[in-house]
Amino acid sequence: MFPYERLRRRPDVEAPNLFGSDAADRLVADLAGDDVLRDGLVVIGDAYGALTLAAAARGARGIRVHQDPLTAERALDANAADLGLDGTYEHRPLDASLVAGARTVLLRLPRSLEALAEIAALTAEHAHQEVVVFAGGMLKHMTTAMNGVLGEVFGDVQASLARQKARVLTARTPEPAAATALDRWPDRAFDDATGLHVCAYGAAFAGATVDIGTRFLLTVLGDAVPEAGTAIDLGCGTGVLASALAASRPGLRVIATDQSAAAVASARATAVANGVADRVEVVRDDGLASHPDASADLIVLNPPFHIGSAVHTGIAHRMFADAGRVLAPGGELWTVWNSHLGYRAVLERAVGPTRQIARNPKFTITASVSQRPRGT
């Protein structure tokens, strides 16, 4: 029996109500059985390594793995080391190299139908004709629309019986329509209100739209540290804020950072679409881990308040702490946040004096001034 209980989430947030595996991981592994031992095993969306390492413990080797969050990759690596299973898999981007010739795919169903559609089309187009996809999730996050998305590019889609509030969809027989379906990404749209082009791969938050929090922050962005020489769009998503800053301030050096591989690819495409790719550097990073202390004059942030399906503010607190470290003395963090979360006191502690810039019925925008002593 694989020791699922030993899996940890680190470096992601750990808390008593957050776990390293769940019933859907176990059901996918059980239904896949010895199919994981066939040549060409691929694992997609493995949160903290449960699917990959259970297959490795069964004897699978050369597993190709794609995880959108960087923290998930690092959690898998740490758990593999703990269990003596390092070297059994390799990380791959979400492209043809991930699924080429694959015969078995273990997939944690993403909550976004667009993300599922992109994964399904890529798999159907490039995997072996005899590929079997075991796609599992918890019932509370599954909809019948997922069957339809898989059915667009697979001829046979079957749903398992539920077990411990989890279910698996099994897809076979790739359809020729998959190649045409792949042309949808990145999705592209022009936002009339902001004058920005927005590009998004399937797993990018809000898709090719400007989410309402970002839209509100854009209304005051011109007032954010006008003299700044370096700005960071932290948790950049599709890179709307980064492109807006670069487009409106030709002399500004802009860095866009996100731990999501889909977000990073989307932000790069958005920068290209807006003609600012030469002035927006896009980095995949765990927060601001790779950025030096006191190196930015302005950081803009629209933090998430969910970790997976759980409402949890821990990730936002980590981002505030990162911003406090990376801001130069007197630099400012401009944050838009859901007003009910009451972040102001946390921002005061993590960064420095915080003033309200704007407020509407749902969101608050604040500016926090770094009180970091010069020379530290």
Side-chain angles (χ1 to χ4, degrees):
M1 179 69 72
F2 181 75
Y4 291 101
E5 70 283 353
R6 289 184 57 187
L7 298 179
R8 292 184 55 191
R9 299 167 54 93
R10 70 203 186 289
D12 205 348
V13 176
E14 295 190 298
N17 64 327
L18 301 174
F19 304 97
S21 66
D22 61 17
D25 294 320
R26 295 186 287 275
L27 184 57
V28 168
D30 289 350
L31 292 182
D34 285 340
D35 278 3
V36 301
L37 301 179
R38 297 200 299 173
D39 288 340
L41 174 62
V42 172
V43 178
I44 303 174
D46 198 359
Y48 302 102
L51 295 177
T52 305
L53 299 179
R58 200 179 188 109
R61 295 293 182 269
I63 307 168
R64 287 171 277 172
V65 182
H66 175 75
Q67 297 160 286
D68 185 62
L70 182 59
T71 51
E73 288 187 5
R74 291 176 177 172
L76 167 57
D77 292 345
N79 286 324
D82 288 348
L83 296 171
L85 292 170
D86 15 18
T88 59
Y89 60 87
E90 57 185 21
H91 297 291
R92 292 284 182 93
L94 187 65
D95 61 16
S97 73
L98 172 69
V99 291
R103 291 176 177 267
T104 303
V105 176
L106 308 184
L107 168 65
R108 276 306 303 255
L109 285 164
R111 298 184 72 180
S112 160
L113 293 179
E114 282 295 297
L116 178 59
E118 184 179 10
I119 292 166
L122 187 71
T123 303
E125 170 65 10
H126 295 288
H128 194 280
Q129 280 297 300
E130 296 179 359
V131 68
V132 182
V133 179
F134 298 92
M138 300 303 294
L139 291 175
K140 62 183 178 181
H141 303 141
M142 295 178 67
T143 68
T144 54
M146 292 176 170
N147 302 54
V149 169
L150 290 170
E152 291 178 4
V153 291
F154 288 96
D156 179 17
V157 180
Q158 303 290 329
S160 74
L161 296 175
R163 189 181 81 187
Q164 294 180 304
K165 301 181 180 179
R167 193 186 300 277
V168 170
L169 305 178
T170 303
R172 297 179 173 85
T173 318
E175 297 282 1
T180 303
L182 275 175
D183 293 338
R184 288 167 55 186
W185 294 282
D187 190 13
R188 299 170 179 85
F190 179 74
D191 185 78
D192 290 323
T194 62
L196 292 169
H197 297 272
V198 186
C199 301
Y201 285 88
F205 175 72
T209 65
V210 181
D211 76 271
I212 55 177
T214 294
R215 191 177 295 280
F216 188 34
L217 183 53
L218 283 168
T219 64
V220 296
L221 201 58
D223 298 325
V225 194
E227 71 281 7
T230 302
I232 298 175
D233 181 0
L234 173 57
C236 66
T238 55
V240 169
L241 293 172
S243 284
L245 282 167
S248 62
R249 306 187 193 187
L252 183 66
R253 175 175 176 251
V254 183
I255 300 168
T257 177
D258 204 295
Q259 70 153 329
S260 162
V264 165
S266 301
R268 287 189 178 123
T270 295
V272 170
N274 288 288
V276 293
D278 59 329
R279 291 187 293 107
V280 176
E281 178 186 359
V282 186
V283 180
R284 188 176 182 219
D285 198 2
D286 180 6
L288 296 174
S290 67
H291 289 73
D293 294 1
S295 59
D297 303 311
L298 170 65
I299 297 176
V300 294
L301 172 62
N302 179 5
F305 62 94
H306 284 81
I307 298 178
S309 61
V311 176
H312 199 287
T313 58
I315 191 166
H317 290 197
R318 286 181 57 190
M319 291 173 130
F320 300 157
D322 271 359
R325 177 183 63 79
V326 171
L327 280 171
E332 295 187 1
L333 168 66
W334 283 53
T335 311
V336 58
W337 40 276
N338 293 72
S339 299
H340 72 275
L341 295 172
Y343 279 151
R344 187 162 182 166
V346 182
L347 287 162
E348 294 263 2
R349 292 193 299 271
V351 182
T354 297
R355 65 188 187 277
Q356 180 174 303
I357 300 298
R359 187 181 179 95
N360 66 18
K362 185 167 185 177
F363 294 103
T364 298
I365 298 173
T366 53
S368 306
V369 182
S370 172
Q371 294 298 287
R372 184 185 185 90
R374 293 188 179 276
T376 65

